[in-house]
Amino acid sequence: MANAATILFEALSPMNLLLALLGVLGGTVIGALPGLSATMAIAVLVPFTFVMDPASGLIMLGAIYTGAIYGGAFAAILVNTPGTPSAIATTFDGYPMARRGDGDLAVTLATIASVFGGLVGAILLITLAPGLATLALAFQSTEYFWLAILGLTLIATLSQGNLVKGLMGGMFGLFLSMIGVAVIGGDMRFTGGMPSMLGGIDIIAALIGLYCIPVLIGMVATPGQHLDPGEARGFRLFEAIGISVKNWFNLIRSSLIGTLVGILPGAGGSIASLIAYSEARRASKNTANFGKGEPGGLLATESANNATVGGGFIPTLVLGIPGTPPDAVIMGALMVQGIRVGPSLFQSGDGTVYVFMTGLVIATLLMLPVGLIIGRYAFRFITNVPKAMLVPLIAFMTVIGSFAIHANPHDVLVMVVLGLVGWAAGLAGFGASPIVLGLVLGQIAEQGFMRAWMIGGARGDFMGQLLLNRPISWAIVALILLTMMLPLLRGRTARRLVAQDLARDGIAAATRVDRAGLAGSVVFLGLAVVMLMQARGLSPMAAAFPYAIGGALAGLSVLQILRSLRGHGGINAEGAGADGTVRGLVLAATMLGWALVFPHLGLFVTSLAACIILMLTGQFGRLTARRLAVYLACLLAMVVGFYLTLDRVLNVPLPQALLF
């Protein structure tokens, strides 16, 4: 094996440093754009690495991956739309910080946390990879099921003021994950007879719609700025370093959580960031500030999801089991280069894998200057661009991002419809985060549940296989129960204190029916009934999970109906501001019409027309002829630029339409 000096010298060569810098820069930009994922970027660039030196090509791919995971924080902080699923929890405190004028501080904190977490994950990858990989082997299908349920309970308790509503949103997300061909059994489920739904709902399209559409409707509802620009305070680096130092234990704990969760194939950054956020909130003295712009929450999520990059490479390199889709693509690139992954990889004389891992450390360090510079100008751009231009820009990016995933107009329609569903759900107190997490974790939960069901059924002991026979499962189930009980106890204590204060002042506590929550619960109850009825026509293998989720959703819906009648509606911060103004309804109708028409009339013409309508919808006050001309010129340049990028650069096949 090559010695350490040779490995370091090769990793620090000018060419490898340049490739790492370009990879981080490109990955950060890609991760910040909804719909353009790290997997897509790596898959497109893999063929170019075949003509490079193996170590150089792999360094660039690793840098793109690292940068893309970090880049998801920009959209999460500035427009409340996670650029990647692992940045979902970043919206909890990042976006509230940006709204109050601390967006520059939030971006700097996210950068520091990402670098720290990435370094911890990469260093543990280099030093402890073989030993940590054995932990992944200890997790079987049962543990993956309970791990997915843990993710749902965490999001339900952290993102809402109502545990029951959060769990209902998670159950709805699990239902969405079951649409299409059953992962076990092969039955067609819940497609409504539409062939276009056989492939199921794309996670990225759903994520864009559920987060972005409600934000757009909220933006046009009021004439104020989207974000408070605050003072021009630059990077705020020393202020961010001071906050990070005060949260040093939070950073270390979250990074270790991210690494450990990252080594579990399929778990990924979304679960890691939620667990880290939950632990940070539990241990903090400022628990009440979480969800309102608490820096500790942002540090926890960003350090955890970036630590999963190094953690995810551990089973990939040591066991040949890719933890995430980007890991699978990079593993394929390794194999094409003649590098066989597995336990013997670290005993071979080839030092390429160590050069790659050292390059991952270098790429993580390069995120600091790249992220600070991009973040500073990105925040200023978002705060200074008028709504009349910002609304069509974000809307166009949602359409382009959804379409570019599979070059399928159906994904755009799904994105818009789910966005409108998320907006309506937000008005009733059901946030987007539980729904998205249910969709993200759905297949993991169903596969784990069904494997435990089959193994337990063969042994005649299903509950034993699912719960009793696995010590690791005991720990996860205990954590789930603890996660659910603490918010209930805190909520009961808070209500008792309020009641005591009212009684002391001689004021009778008023009970107001949560009408919106009641209506939403009735809709969910109807969905549960439909789910259970349609499951009767499926094979036992395909029906087991729908029966379980449908029954759980029905029970939760009945419980929430009773709670809504008693006035326990909860507070949904995610739906705040997304009211039903005329402008909001015009935006919703424009987006829906755009998604329906562009496959037939053409992307260019319909996008230009829709952007003009959205520009007028986002314009408050008098619009002069000069400003209108400037806006129209900018819209034309934007549409032309994105259209040519799709058609000529990315070679995305556009739909055959009457126009262009």
Side-chain angles (χ1 to χ4, degrees):
M1 190 180 99
N3 58 50
T6 303
I7 291 170
L8 187 62
F9 180 78
E10 186 173 354
L12 290 173
S13 68
M15 177 57 70
N16 287 341
L17 285 175
L18 177 61
L19 290 174
L21 178 62
L22 293 176
V24 168
L25 180 60
T28 302
V29 173
I30 289 169
L33 298 176
L36 301 182
S37 64
T39 308
M40 182 188 302
I42 294 172
V44 169
L45 292 174
V46 158
F48 294 98
T49 65
F50 296 159
V51 298
M52 299 180 185
D53 177 79
S56 300
L58 293 171
I59 285 174
M60 186 174 186
L61 293 179
I64 293 171
Y65 183 17
T66 301
I69 297 297
Y70 160 65
F74 285 96
I77 292 170
L78 300 179
V79 293
N80 200 37
T81 303
T84 58
S86 61
I88 290 172
T90 304
T91 62
F92 297 166
D93 289 292
Y95 186 61
M97 287 184 69
R99 293 201 67 177
R100 71 179 184 220
D102 287 330
D104 45 6
L105 177 61
V107 169
T108 302
L109 285 171
T111 303
I112 292 174
S114 298
V115 171
F116 187 88
L119 286 176
V120 170
I123 292 171
L124 290 178
L125 168 65
I126 295 173
T127 57
L128 303 175
L132 288 177
T134 58
L135 181 61
L137 295 177
F139 276 70
Q140 298 182 8
S141 57
T142 304
E143 282 77 25
Y144 280 107
F145 167 73
W146 289 117
L147 195 63
I149 299 302
L150 173 62
L152 291 176
T153 56
L154 288 173
I155 194 71
T157 56
L158 294 174
S159 64
Q160 305 297 326
N162 188 317
L163 172 63
V164 178
K165 283 186 175 180
L167 291 174
M168 290 171 64
M171 295 299 110
F172 177 59
L174 289 175
F175 162 74
L176 294 177
S177 74
M178 291 186 283
I179 294 176
V181 179
V183 292
I184 297 179
D187 297 46
M188 292 182 293
R189 301 184 300 193
F190 314 121
T191 61
M194 295 182 288
S196 58
M197 298 301 295
L198 290 176
I201 293 178
D202 184 82
I203 292 174
I204 302 299
L207 186 149
I208 295 172
L210 286 166
Y211 279 104
C212 225
I213 299 299
V215 169
L216 287 171
I217 294 176
M219 286 175 64
V220 301
T222 56
Q225 285 183 284
H226 169 55
L227 300 176
D228 183 353
E231 304 177 27
R233 288 170 284 188
F235 299 116
R236 302 178 69 174
L237 180 59
F238 293 106
E239 183 180 356
I241 291 175
I243 294 173
S244 301
V245 170
K246 291 180 181 178
N247 284 267
W248 66 270
F249 187 73
N250 179 17
L251 281 171
I252 295 174
R253 178 185 58 222
S254 301
S255 300
L256 292 176
I257 289 173
T259 304
L260 293 175
V261 174
I263 71 173
L264 304 177
S270 50
I271 294 180
S273 60
L274 287 171
I275 295 176
Y277 187 88
S278 174
E279 283 300 302
R281 185 174 185 265
R282 181 190 58 79
S284 175
K285 297 178 181 179
N286 303 315
T287 301
N289 294 337
F290 277 71
K292 302 175 184 177
E294 171 61 33
L298 181 61
L299 290 171
T301 60
E302 281 303 300
S303 57
N305 63 30
N306 280 272
T308 59
V309 175
F313 279 123
I314 292 174
T316 303
L317 298 177
V318 179
L319 303 175
I321 304 173
T324 62
D327 291 332
V329 177
I330 292 176
M331 188 176 78
L334 280 165
M335 297 175 70
V336 170
Q337 296 282 8
I339 302 171
R340 299 181 65 85
V341 297
S344 62
L345 177 64
F346 294 87
Q347 281 76 45
S348 66
D350 188 4
T352 301
V353 66
Y354 284 99
V355 176
F356 163 62
M357 292 190 293
T358 306
L360 199 63
V361 174
I362 296 170
T364 303
L365 290 172
L366 289 173
M367 282 198 307
L368 185 61
V370 170
L372 289 176
I373 294 172
I374 293 179
R376 177 180 183 179
Y377 293 105
F379 177 63
R380 290 298 152 203
F381 174 79
I382 292 292
T383 55
N384 292 328
V385 171
K387 276 189 179 180
M389 291 302 299
L390 190 60
V391 169
L393 172 62
I394 295 175
F396 189 43
M397 287 175 59
T398 64
V399 172
I400 291 294
S402 302
F403 177 74
I405 300 168
H406 302 296
N408 188 354
H410 171 72
D411 289 333
V412 180
L413 183 60
V414 168
M415 181 272 295
V416 174
V417 170
L418 284 181
L420 297 179
V421 169
W423 169 64
L427 296 178
F430 299 91
S433 297
I435 300 174
V436 171
L437 258 294
L439 179 59
V440 170
L441 302 175
Q443 288 197 358
I444 299 174
E446 181 171 7
Q447 288 174 358
F449 179 86
M450 289 306 302
R451 286 170 183 164
W453 184 72
M454 289 186 291
I455 295 172
R459 295 175 176 174
D461 185 21
F462 168 58
M463 289 306 298
Q465 176 66 27
L466 190 64
L467 178 62
L468 301 178
N469 298 337
R470 300 288 301 168
I472 298 178
S473 296
W474 301 346
I476 300 176
V477 171
L479 188 57
I480 290 172
L481 294 176
L482 180 64
T483 301
M484 296 177 63
M485 291 302 298
L486 286 178
L488 292 175
L489 294 175
R490 288 171 181 165
R492 179 172 295 182
T493 302
R495 287 193 297 270
R496 185 173 65 250
L497 293 175
V498 171
Q500 290 175 355
D501 292 340
L502 292 175
R504 186 174 58 249
D505 296 336
I507 303 173
T511 301
R512 298 178 60 184
V513 176
D514 175 23
R515 299 183 184 277
L518 179 63
S521 301
V522 170
V523 171
F524 278 124
L525 179 59
L527 175 64
V529 172
V530 171
M531 194 188 312
L532 293 171
M533 291 179 62
Q534 291 195 14
R536 296 172 59 186
L538 301 174
S539 67
M541 299 286 288
F545 197 64
Y547 272 132
I549 300 305
L553 181 58
L556 290 169
S557 299
V558 172
L559 178 60
Q560 184 55 44
I561 288 173
L562 298 176
R563 288 171 56 83
S564 296
L565 291 173
R566 296 177 58 189
H568 299 311
I571 300 172
N572 174 24
E574 290 181 287
D579 56 23
T581 62
V582 174
R583 289 175 184 263
L585 297 176
V586 170
L587 184 143
T590 302
M591 295 294 293
L592 186 59
W594 189 359
L596 290 170
V597 170
F598 93 86
H600 308 289
L601 294 183
L603 179 64
F604 180 84
V605 173
T606 54
S607 297
L608 187 60
C611 286
I612 292 174
I613 296 173
L614 295 176
M615 179 266 292
L616 296 174
T617 305
Q619 172 63 31
F620 289 85
R622 182 170 174 267
L623 183 62
T624 63
R626 180 180 178 181
R627 177 166 293 185
L628 176 61
V630 172
Y631 285 174
L632 291 176
C634 291
L635 289 179
L636 179 61
M638 177 184 72
V639 174
V640 169
F642 275 102
Y643 183 87
L644 292 178
T645 300
L646 282 180
D647 188 37
R648 304 294 174 85
V649 179
L650 299 178
N651 293 319
V652 175
L654 300 177
Q656 297 295 321
L658 295 176
L659 302 173
F660 60 93

